[in-house]
Structure formats: structure tokens, C-alpha cells
Amino acid sequence: MSNKIIYHHLHAEYGHDVLRSWQAEGNISKNQLVYPLFIAETPTAKEEITAMPNQFRWGVDRLEEALVPLVKKGLRSVLLFGVPTGKKDSQASFADAPDTPVIKGLQVLRKRFPDLLLITDICLCAYTNHGHCALLHENGLINNKASIQRLADIATAYAQAGAHVVAPSDMMDSRVGAIKMALLKHDLERTAIMSYSAKFASSFYGPFREAAQSAPSFGDRKAYQLPPSARKLALTAVDRDISEGANFVMVKPAGPYMDIIRDVKNRIHVPLACYQVSGEYAMLHHAARAGAIDLKTAVIECIIGLRRAGADIFITYYTPELLDWLKKYTE
Ligand code: PBG
Ligand code: ZN
């Protein structure tokens, strides 16, 4: 063999848009987008969320107005959060009351949009008077056993009201198993579980806590959400949740944790969701407003990055825009 240098003409592989598309790994379809939706307690409400420009808390009577234009554009799936104003107590009682916004929302959406996949967040923080994701002992420590029982009751109520998927975001130990057992006990074996498995204690949840009015009144969530540097603990949590019956797992936030997305993808065989959270949404929005980046190309680049990292499902507040942009992105 000669020692001639072999030149690789990479430009020849992406000069034409078809050739660029041949280099793409993993396309993104509208079915893979999930739009988070906040349901206000007042049925006629349309409340602006200051920290999340262009996002609103919608009353049950206005869900149709909120969703018709999106369904027309190809929306297939929503993730529901209830936002009670008062009615918070130590037991998160309002979370599964018959007139709680999520249950009323599920009933309306099932009827009005029968093809829409309905996912409900399962947590206590919007319903407890202290704003933590758990029930607490009198000394303020987490009562894990009581919390997972309560979460299982709430998941059962949401499944009975029409949720296709329940998505626990609380991070209590063994909650996936407790929810799975409760679903089976109530003949709800068709309800899927999407676990927020690798959910990190993140500064990027700030805007959401305004949206859902769920900030803790004391302390923080570091005792139950993962430390941002904890790569192996994240994989342990994913393994645990799958062994307890999770049908889908999630990495959250998305962008700052792309390596975790790839690690999880290489390890498991269930579809993997990522949650581009409120702070990531706001950061892109404000950077674009300030002229630093072009919103459309930046958001698409982020989603392509998450796809490349291994995500199959994208929970993002940019879903309305992406439904317009997607067909053109594929290169
Ligand atoms: C509630 C919950 C949070 C998010 C989803 N479910 C907030 C938190 O854990 O503090 C964050 C979503 C976002 O920031 O967009 N447990
Ligand atoms: Zn919570």
C-alpha cells in the first residue's frame, strides 16, 4: 500500500438537501411532541403566565379554544397540570376531588378530542399547603409511605377520569410500583406509566413554579430530586422505575442533561421522553427577544440535539411553534 493521504470529501455529502437528509439520524414527527397544559381552577379563565411568555392557565370551559388550533396543526398529545388557587392542605386533598381541574379537564378533553393522547402529571406540590411534592411527618421530614399511597390514589382517580398515561413527577421511592399496583387493583391495566425517572434538582424549573403556583414554602427539593452531577444515581433511578413497571421513562431537564439522555438510551429498551422545561423555554425566548439568536433555528437545533442524544418523546412548550416548523426541519 502507498502512504498516499486519503482525502475524505465530506462536502460532497451535504451540498444537496437530499444528501443532507441522508446524513440525518432520527427524524422527528408530530406524534413525538407533547404540549404541557395548565388548567386553572376558574372554568372561564385565561390567565397569562408572566414567567412563561405566550403560555396561559386555561379554565376548563376554554380548553377547546386553546386546543382547536393546535389539533388542526397536528397536535397529538398533552400533559395536564392542575393549578388550584386555594384548597391546599396537608393531605393534598383537592388533587383527586371530583371537581378538581385535572379531572374536569380529562372529562372534557376525552369527549371533545377523542384522538388526543391525555397524559396527567402526578404530584402533590400544587395541592399541599407547604408546596412540597410529598406528604410530611410532623417534624417536616418526608413521609414516603403515606406519599406513595396518596400518589397511587390520585393516579387511579385520573386514570378513571380518562387519562391514557399517568406521569409521576414527585420522585418518592417506590411510587411507580405503588401506582402500578393500584392501577391493576382497579382494572386499569391499560393505563400507561411515564415516570419522571431522572429528574434533577434544577434551577430551570423556576418559571413553572409561578405557572403552577407550586413553589415550596420552606426548604427546597434537593432531598428528593437528583443532584445535577449524579450520573450513576440517574441510571439507578431509571432501572428501578422500569423494574417497578414504568412503560416510559424521562430525563428532565433536557438540554443540560443530554449526556444522561444518551446514557439512558444505551441502557434501556422502553421509549425515552425528555422534558424541555420552563427555564429552557424562557431562556430561548428571551435570548431571541434580545436579538442574540433566531428563535426558530435555535429551537429546532435544540430538538434535533435531543433526538440525536436519544430522546423519542419531546415534552416542550414550543410544541405550537414546532407543529408549524417541523415539516421543513428534516435536513
Ligand atoms: C412538579 C413538577 C415540576 C415540573 C414538572 N412537574 C416542578 C418541580 O418539580 O419543582 C417542572 C416543569 C417545568 O419547569 O417546566 N413536581
Ligand atoms: Zn411536585
Side-chain angles (χ1 to χ4, degrees):
M1 275 296 288
S2 77
N3 56 358
K4 200 172 62 175
I5 295 170
I6 311 286
Y7 289 101
H8 293 278
H9 294 286
L10 294 185
H11 290 267
E13 295 176 29
Y14 51 78
H16 190 283
D17 68 320
V18 174
L19 295 178
R20 277 199 296 283
S21 75
W22 287 356
Q23 298 292 342
E25 293 174 39
N27 288 339
I28 300 162
S29 81
K30 294 180 182 185
N31 280 10
Q32 291 166 284
L33 298 174
V34 178
Y35 187 47
L37 202 58
F38 300 98
I39 309 185
E41 199 180 326
T42 311
T44 53
K46 180 184 177 181
E47 302 163 3
E48 259 178 67
I49 300 167
T50 324
M52 300 174 68
N54 304 328
Q55 305 298 321
F56 300 88
R57 286 184 289 263
W58 296 89
V60 170
D61 293 352
R62 297 184 73 167
L63 288 177
E64 175 165 7
E65 171 190 341
L67 289 181
V68 161
L70 302 183
V71 169
K72 217 176 262 172
K73 291 199 284 190
L75 179 73
R76 299 304 317 281
S77 172
V78 289
L79 170 60
L80 305 180
F81 294 93
V83 190
T85 40
K87 302 189 180 161
K88 304 189 185 214
D89 62 21
S90 65
Q91 300 304 306
S93 309
F94 193 48
D96 54 356
D99 59 340
T100 204
V102 170
I103 288 185
K104 287 198 294 185
L106 285 166
Q107 291 159 349
V108 166
L109 294 176
R110 264 284 182 148
K111 216 177 273 162
R112 180 59 187 82
F113 302 101
D115 295 332
L116 199 60
L117 182 83
L118 306 178
I119 311 172
T120 53
D121 188 89
I122 306 288
C123 202
L124 307 182
C125 53
Y127 304 94
T128 50
N129 47 15
H130 45 68
H132 278 289
C133 303
L135 302 182
L136 305 179
H137 286 296
E138 265 171 39
N139 61 8
L141 291 178
I142 287 171
N143 185 340
N144 196 91
K145 193 172 159 196
S147 299
I148 63 176
Q149 188 50 57
R150 191 74 194 98
L151 291 158
D153 290 345
I154 295 165
T156 302
Y158 291 177
Q160 283 167 339
H164 299 98
V165 183
V166 291
S169 67
D170 54 282
M171 296 300 280
M172 294 304 112
D173 284 317
S174 307
R175 90 273 206 218
V176 172
I179 289 171
K180 186 79 195 169
M181 297 304 284
L183 292 175
L184 293 179
K185 189 174 141 202
H186 291 89
D187 295 325
L188 295 163
E189 64 279 345
R190 294 183 62 200
T191 310
I193 301 174
M194 175 185 282
S195 179
Y196 288 68
S197 300
K199 176 174 174 178
F200 292 87
S202 172
S203 58
F204 289 98
Y205 305 150
F208 173 95
R209 291 179 189 169
E210 182 214 308
Q213 294 165 357
S214 66
S217 61
F218 68 92
D220 53 43
R221 305 212 202 287
K222 287 182 186 156
Y224 41 100
Q225 299 180 351
L226 302 172
S229 59
R231 200 171 165 193
K232 289 195 285 269
L233 188 57
L235 297 180
T236 304
V238 167
D239 288 348
R240 177 199 60 189
D241 289 356
I242 291 174
S243 74
E244 289 179 17
N247 304 90
F248 311 99
V249 293
M250 190 196 301
V251 174
K252 173 192 175 189
Y257 297 89
M258 268 194 193
D259 59 322
I260 307 290
I261 293 176
R262 174 45 64 185
D263 283 348
V264 172
K265 183 66 173 186
N266 286 348
R267 190 177 177 87
I268 57 139
H269 299 101
V270 303
L272 171 59
C274 65
Y275 196 148
Q276 184 184 53
V277 299
S278 56
E280 298 178 85
Y281 172 82
M283 189 166 62
L284 287 161
H285 175 90
H286 291 300
R289 284 289 298 272
I293 55 168
D294 174 66
L295 184 69
K296 176 177 168 178
T297 46
V299 170
I300 291 170
E301 188 174 340
C302 288
I303 300 296
I304 290 175
L306 297 170
R307 180 70 177 135
R308 196 188 58 242
D312 305 297
I313 302 153
F314 308 89
I315 305 171
T316 169
Y317 302 97
Y318 283 114
T319 293
E321 287 84 352
L322 284 163
L323 291 170
D324 291 325
W325 296 337
L326 261 188
K327 47 189 171 303
K328 293 176 197 128
Y329 107 88
T330 40
E331 332 187 326

